Amino acid sequence: MCGIVGYIGTRSAQDVLMSGLAKLEYRGYDSAGVAIMDGQGIQVRKKAGKLANLSSELEGAPLPGTLGIGHTRWATHGLPNDTNAHPHATEDGRLVIIHNGIIENYLTLKASLVARGHVFKSETDSEVLAHLIEEKYEQTLVGGQVGKLSEAVRLALGEVRGAYGIVVTHVDHREIVAARTVSPLVMGVGQGEMFLASDVPALLPYTRQMVFLHDGDLVVLSDDGFSITDLAGNAVTREIDQIDWDAEAAEKGGYDTYMLKEIFEQPVALTNTLMGRLHDETGEVNLDIGLDPGSFKRISIIACGTAYYAGLVGEYLIEQLARIPVEVDVASEYRYRNPLVSGDTLAIVISQSGETIDTLEALREAKRGGARTLGVINAKGSSMTRELDDTLYIHAGPEIGVASTKAYTSMVGAMLMLALWLARARGTQSEAQARELLHAARALPRLVEEALAPERVERIKQVAEKYAHARDYLFLGRGVNAPTALEGALKLKEISYIHAEGYAAGEMKHGPIALIDAQLPVVVVATESRLLEKTISNVQEVRARAGKVILLLSDGDTENAQHADDVIYVPRSHEMVSPIVNVVALQLLSYFTATALGKDVDKPRNLAKSVTVE
């Protein structure tokens, strides 16, 4: 959600902070600010709105200094305005903090602090931390000497309940103190300089030596390096990881937007997800996970948003191929319904960031019930990966656009591999069936590349522009592609702000059919499958009510094209892998609809890339 950047070294702190915050804009935000130590004190500048607002102010009056912290805020407590923007300072301005997350007991803490004479400027829960740390800092003063900032932070956090990534600096200390619980933080290690951020892309222009902080870590950054302790003050050792992403991977690479770039990166992302794990010549699936496929009798898949729809595809694939009962839960509901979990349950959590708080808490709930846990995750070093029994990384690379594209198809690819692995281990597919499916899976990068051919993209753009001013949309699919319809509707809603609903096609007559009229575009996933005939019957029901039918058909299906107002052809693929091929066309349909309407597809309103608060 919110973005954090910190720097201490010899460079201009302002330059490093603003560069890093710009690379974190994809996380979603409504205000931005920086605090820079200039030798006389700590200067704070912050502005509501886009980062450009803050940049304009700093261009007119730059802040000198080589130590600073910066933040982009996504409002949880208090309106998105200049006052509520971070950083937050104490009354005398000597101590400054930035904070991601939520302080659950902030009202109690605030009441006590106000009673003791503290004056609050903002409506945020975060400002509580500044005043609380200030009090603890005064307690560390000995004989009027300089106090110990790290000890003050540690003492203050002992009174805090909630989720936080917190960064603190004080005018009397050339150091940055940071700590995390739930909210992610990563350090960058340089020569005579140190960096801090809430995500890797902010640091890539400066270093690829990264340290991922764990829950409960407290770190002190200085010009000479860093030291880490736990919240009890015990020394902690963390490995320095070499990140193989380069700065170019987080840039647009010549495309107009990050989202379009990431749509076109899907053949490569799928290659990274699938290849080296599937061996159709031997029928083997090598996932490098330690799970015993015979040790569980049921599977719970838990996720949010786009990842939840990937889980629905996974449910279909696992049940069809491996014959294991599967249920899929929205993570935000899972832990509140007292789920039935036992030692013979495998809980699979799906998350691009590995930091989604609802999914993380659902994972913990499953673990409390005794379930074995597996994560389908993109981000290495994330919170979930440290709590899971096993992790199946999707290797999709950085995804900057808020609306997920390549991470979604890679997640579905991972669920396909998992279904194939379980089927192979449990003997539910014949040798011939296994080879056929493995061959189909290995063909996916090529098929997606074909789906992105210029003539196909142009055709989708024409259809999108034709219906761009529709007020509503309906998406329909059946079987393994019912979730594809849901994902198509979600993408359109996210980036174009057009109301869209996705349904299993057979459900249309149980309510949604009442919405159909001559103004309603209805997108139907009708590619080659065992349910194609039934899907076309649903199409006839739409046509009988004058709905505008946009059919997604397999190449060469001219027979069913007669039932459509507009046709989008996609490469023919095996039914079990078709959701990955088909969704690419729906991503493009949403993309070109949004751009025709002049929307900012990379930063849609009200959305954030990684949701780290409930």
Side-chain angles (χ1 to χ4, degrees):
M1 303 280 283
C2 309
I4 283 175
V5 182
Y7 175 72
I8 180 170
T10 59
R11 305 174 193 255
S12 162
Q14 177 178 305
D15 291 347
V16 175
L17 299 181
M18 294 303 290
S19 168
L21 292 177
K23 289 181 169 54
L24 296 178
E25 285 188 286
Y26 70 91
R27 295 170 67 90
Y29 69 101
D30 49 47
S31 60
V34 297
I36 295 175
M37 192 179 295
D38 63 2
Q40 304 298 316
I42 301 175
Q43 303 300 320
V44 176
R45 301 276 175 80
K46 49 187 184 176
K47 296 293 289 183
K50 295 291 186 182
L51 190 61
N53 297 344
L54 177 63
S55 181
S56 295
E57 182 163 315
L58 291 172
E59 284 177 9
L63 293 178
T66 57
L67 183 158
I69 58 178
H71 190 266
T72 50
R73 175 182 184 250
W74 190 81
T76 56
H77 294 76
L79 295 172
N81 56 33
D82 291 359
T83 302
N84 289 330
H86 295 221
H88 292 293
T90 52
E91 294 95 329
D92 60 10
R94 296 175 63 80
L95 184 149
V96 178
I97 68 106
I98 54 180
H99 164 240
N100 286 356
I102 290 178
I103 305 304
E104 294 179 359
N105 60 333
Y106 87 100
L107 286 174
T108 302
L109 292 171
K110 183 175 182 178
S112 297
L113 288 162
V114 169
R116 294 195 293 272
H118 290 270
V119 177
F120 282 73
K121 300 175 184 176
S122 77
E123 304 168 287
T124 69
D125 57 328
S126 303
E127 191 183 352
V128 164
L129 292 167
H131 298 287
L132 188 59
I133 295 169
E134 179 188 34
E135 280 197 350
K136 302 303 180 184
Y137 183 79
E138 291 173 358
Q139 294 174 18
T140 69
L141 296 172
V142 178
Q145 301 300 309
V146 173
K148 189 171 184 182
L149 184 59
S150 60
E151 181 66 15
V153 173
R154 185 178 296 112
L155 291 171
L157 293 179
E159 298 184 17
V160 166
R161 294 198 316 272
Y164 55 79
I166 182 173
V167 183
V168 187
T169 191
H170 190 286
V171 71
D172 291 337
H173 299 265
R174 187 167 171 81
E175 64 184 24
I176 295 172
V177 179
R180 66 153 287 179
T181 291
V182 179
S183 295
L185 284 176
V186 58
M187 281 192 301
V189 181
Q191 295 293 322
E193 59 184 355
M194 291 293 301
F195 306 85
L196 186 74
S198 47
D199 206 354
V200 169
L203 307 184
L204 287 176
Y206 307 104
T207 180
R208 287 188 286 173
Q209 301 290 311
M210 308 284 181
V211 178
F212 293 93
L213 298 180
H214 294 201
D215 274 4
D217 282 356
L218 186 148
V219 61
V220 179
L221 289 77
S222 66
D223 294 287
D224 300 325
F226 66 94
S227 61
I228 305 176
T229 65
D230 61 22
L231 292 179
N234 303 307
V236 172
T237 301
R238 300 291 180 219
E239 291 184 4
I240 298 177
D241 292 327
Q242 176 78 14
I243 299 300
D244 54 10
W245 301 348
D246 59 22
E248 182 63 23
E251 299 296 337
K252 294 179 183 176
Y255 290 93
D256 291 338
T257 63
Y258 286 114
M259 184 178 178
L260 189 61
K261 173 177 177 280
E262 288 155 8
I263 289 172
F264 277 86
E265 285 178 338
Q266 287 177 113
V268 172
L270 283 165
T271 298
N272 294 337
T273 301
L274 300 169
M275 298 309 134
R277 291 165 159 173
L278 303 177
H279 308 278
D280 54 351
E281 68 280 1
T282 63
E284 295 296 324
V285 181
N286 180 16
L287 300 184
D288 194 27
I289 55 178
L291 285 170
D292 175 5
S295 64
F296 46 86
K297 297 179 180 177
R298 56 191 288 268
I299 293 174
S300 289
I301 299 175
I302 309 163
C304 298
T306 285
Y308 172 74
Y309 296 144
L312 291 175
V313 179
E315 174 188 30
Y316 191 97
L317 294 171
I318 292 170
E319 289 195 340
Q320 289 293 308
L321 303 181
R323 309 305 297 158
I324 305 171
V326 181
E327 59 183 14
V328 187
D329 273 279
V330 174
S332 57
E333 293 294 321
Y334 179 81
R335 68 183 173 120
Y336 296 111
R337 69 170 179 83
N338 194 20
L340 296 173
V341 183
S342 62
D344 63 4
T345 302
L346 172 64
I348 301 174
V349 296
I350 309 175
S351 172
Q352 188 283 135
S353 67
E355 302 290 350
T356 307
I357 185 61
D358 290 317
T359 308
L360 181 59
E361 292 297 343
L363 162 64
R364 291 167 176 165
E365 180 68 23
K367 288 173 72 76
R368 283 191 288 270
R372 289 296 304 276
T373 57
L374 171 69
V376 175
I377 309 289
N378 191 33
K380 293 184 178 180
S382 57
S383 297
M384 289 182 204
T385 62
R386 294 193 291 272
E387 299 191 25
L388 290 158
D389 295 320
D390 280 288
T391 302
L392 179 57
Y393 287 109
I394 64 173
H395 301 304
E399 187 176 68
I400 307 303
V402 169
S404 182
T405 52
K406 67 176 181 175
Y408 174 78
T409 49
S410 291
M411 288 171 185
V412 176
M415 297 308 294
L416 171 64
M417 289 193 301
L418 186 61
L420 294 170
W421 178 74
L422 290 168
R424 174 77 175 179
R426 299 168 76 96
T428 53
Q429 296 286 304
S430 69
E431 197 72 29
Q433 288 173 320
R435 288 178 184 274
E436 179 187 8
L437 287 165
L438 284 171
H439 182 73
R442 285 174 59 85
L444 276 167
R446 174 182 57 80
L447 291 170
V448 171
E449 190 165 4
E450 290 180 15
L452 292 166
E455 63 275 13
R456 295 186 193 271
V457 174
E458 182 58 31
R459 171 58 184 157
I460 295 169
K461 184 178 181 182
Q462 291 170 2
V463 174
E465 291 174 348
K466 178 178 178 179
Y467 296 101
H469 294 284
R471 187 184 63 182
D472 307 282
Y473 253 85
L474 187 62
F475 288 75
L476 303 176
R478 297 200 76 136
V480 72
N481 276 298
T484 307
L486 298 174
E487 172 64 9
L490 177 64
K491 282 292 155 288
L492 190 68
K493 282 184 281 194
E494 285 181 315
I495 63 174
S496 74
Y497 318 144
I498 293 172
H499 172 251
E501 298 291 344
Y503 277 91
E507 280 293 290
M508 179 186 63
K509 56 184 170 289
H510 297 286
I513 198 168
L515 300 173
I516 297 173
D517 59 21
Q519 282 70 52
L520 183 71
V522 182
V523 179
V524 185
V525 182
T527 51
E528 189 174 27
S529 76
R530 61 191 178 89
L531 294 174
L532 177 56
E533 189 174 295
K534 291 185 178 295
T535 303
I536 295 301
S537 293
N538 299 134
V539 170
Q540 300 291 16
E541 294 169 340
V542 175
R543 286 173 59 82
R545 288 153 184 84
K548 301 300 184 185
V549 176
I550 304 169
L551 274 187
L552 203 67
L553 295 177
S554 298
D555 280 344
D557 186 356
T558 55
E559 179 182 349
N560 286 313
Q562 64 182 311
H563 305 302
D565 294 280
D566 290 278
V567 175
I568 296 171
Y569 283 109
V570 297
R572 283 186 176 270
S573 58
H574 190 291
E575 182 179 358
M576 293 296 104
V577 308
S578 64
I580 293 173
V581 180
N582 295 341
V583 80
V584 173
L586 301 187
Q587 293 168 350
L588 288 167
L589 182 68
S590 298
Y591 178 85
F592 288 122
T593 301
T595 55
L597 295 172
K599 308 303 182 185
D600 185 345
V601 297
D602 284 336
K603 296 186 285 290
R605 68 188 184 198
N606 302 332
L607 296 181
K609 185 67 177 173
S610 177
V611 183
T612 54
V613 296
E614 282 195 84

